[in-house]
Amino acid sequence: MSILTIAYTVLFYVATVVFVVGLTRKILSYAKTPAPLKIPTTPAPITVGGVRWRMAREVVLFESLFKASKWTWIFGWLFHASLLLVVLRHLRYFQEPVWLPVVLVQPFGTYAGFAMVAGLGGLWARRWLVDRVRYISTPSDHLHLVLLLAIGFSGLAMRFVAHTDIVALKAFVLGLMRFDWQPLPTDPVLLVHLALVALLMIIFPISKLLHAPGLFFSPTRNQADNAREVRHISAWAAALDKKA
């Protein structure tokens, strides 16, 4: 087995551990953060069912972003929707046999890569062209977008420019999952693409890219506007009440 295969195998095992452990720690941190006040963003639903419907609209449609900025919403929603299709398309490398829904999404996932790059391009342009956004943008904000764009462009290059051996690639991926290491194709574009994906997995839990889980723990979104009907008290405050 080549040194290159061993290096990428170790890289992806490390990246996976960092991704899973980091994501788990972050979610647990969100879950343990107290919410001592009732602070839903109004107009807010007054029932639990209403909160769930509001969260569903936020997750699927990015409702608050749509109200705040139509241009940002267009590029943001385009990127996330396209990314979902691209990820679903890539599931074929992790399955044997491939599930029927994953087979059906293949044609859409192929061209979703172009939409994903277009969405990222719009979001990056926003950080340069909008004065107030450019003022608060940090180097990491730009580097995250550059990393995602590089992943998108290298993926499209493998599909439409420099084709790689996807059969051998799938054997390598399945070998990682089954701890049965298989040779990795040595195509330069593929190696760059995989290295960038591993880098994204490593930095994801500690970057601003980790905003999706936080939405579910945000008190401005997950609370019902029923402060007059139901007393809201955090766990630590309830403990103090018992001692008193």
Side-chain angles (χ1 to χ4, degrees):
M1 187 173 295
S2 69
I3 298 297
L4 190 64
T5 297
I6 296 174
Y8 270 79
T9 298
V10 173
L11 173 62
F12 271 97
Y13 281 144
V14 171
T16 301
V17 171
V18 172
F19 179 81
V20 173
V21 173
L23 189 60
T24 301
R25 286 173 56 89
K26 200 68 174 179
I27 291 175
L28 290 176
S29 174
Y30 288 148
K32 293 178 181 178
T33 301
L37 301 175
K38 178 71 74 169
I39 54 172
T41 301
T42 57
I46 60 175
T47 64
V48 174
V51 170
R52 290 173 178 169
W53 175 236
R54 181 191 203 186
M55 291 293 292
R57 297 197 310 270
E58 192 66 40
V59 171
V60 178
L61 302 176
F62 300 2
E63 182 180 44
S64 61
L65 182 60
F66 178 81
K67 294 177 179 178
S69 171
K70 300 299 187 292
W71 279 109
T72 305
W73 176 83
I74 290 174
F75 291 119
W77 193 89
L78 179 64
F79 162 64
H80 286 86
S82 303
L83 177 62
L84 176 60
L85 288 174
V86 169
V87 171
L88 290 175
R89 181 175 185 271
H90 280 68
L91 286 180
R92 65 177 175 158
Y93 295 107
F94 299 86
Q95 300 173 340
E96 186 58 45
V98 180
W99 298 346
L100 179 60
V102 177
V103 174
L104 296 177
V105 83
Q106 295 302 308
F108 305 99
T110 297
Y111 296 99
F114 291 102
M116 186 182 79
V117 168
L120 286 169
L123 293 174
W124 197 19
R126 167 178 168 269
R127 291 202 172 272
W128 292 104
L129 301 177
V130 180
D131 291 341
R132 66 181 185 279
V133 179
R134 183 173 65 249
Y135 180 76
I136 64 173
S137 295
T138 63
S140 65
D141 294 323
H142 293 284
L143 291 175
H144 291 155
L145 289 168
V146 169
L147 175 59
L148 290 169
L149 279 167
I151 291 174
F153 278 122
S154 59
L156 290 172
M158 284 191 298
R159 178 67 178 84
F160 296 99
V161 181
H163 299 285
T164 190
D165 186 348
I166 61 173
V167 175
L169 174 59
K170 181 169 182 174
F172 171 76
V173 175
L174 291 176
L176 291 179
M177 297 173 60
R178 299 167 180 171
F179 299 100
D180 179 21
W181 296 4
Q182 300 297 319
L184 173 68
T186 58
D187 302 329
V189 179
L190 171 64
L191 297 179
V192 170
H193 185 71
L194 292 180
L196 292 173
V197 170
L199 176 61
L200 176 63
M201 293 172 65
I202 291 172
I203 69 171
F204 187 83
I206 57 174
S207 70
K208 293 181 180 178
L209 298 172
L210 184 64
H211 52 264
L215 173 65
F216 295 95
F217 298 97
S218 172
T220 62
R221 289 286 181 269
N222 64 17
Q223 293 182 346
D225 190 12
N226 57 358
R228 292 180 176 84
E229 294 79 15
V230 180
R231 183 189 180 200
H232 175 76
I233 183 169
S234 60
W236 60 268
L240 292 177
D241 280 355
K242 291 180 181 179
K243 291 180 179 180

